[in-house]
Amino acid sequence: MRLVVFAAFLLVAMILVGAWSLAQGAGFATVALRLIVTAIVLQVGYFVMLVVVAYLPNSSGRDDPSRAEKERHPPSQSVRGANDSSH
């Protein structure tokens, strides 16, 4: 889902930069260069955002009651299943 949203914003930004450049009367090479720079800046920004999100602590885990329950009662190593027999 993030990739689709990113692609949509990338496309919108590229269209806006291209339209703005053409409205200023820029030549084809200048418009192309501005579009390339825009794409690079957006890609780098997206990469930095992913790295930051990957290293931030997960705040949604604090509100998860099942996670809190697991932390209070860790699973025992010697738990046997219902079908285990003592043969």
Side-chain angles (χ1 to χ4, degrees), residues 2 18 20 22 25 28 38 42 60 62 66 69 84:
R2 289 182 188 168
W20 190 6
L22 289 173
F28 177 74
T38 301
L42 289 173
S60 65
R62 294 179 191 160
S66 64
E69 184 67 26
D84 289 349

Side-chain angles (χ1 to χ4, degrees), residues 37-57:
V37 169
T38 301
I40 291 170
V41 168
L42 289 173
Q43 289 283 346
V44 169
Y46 186 68
F47 175 75
V48 169
M49 182 198 68
L50 287 178
V51 169
V52 168
V53 167
Y55 286 105
L56 284 178

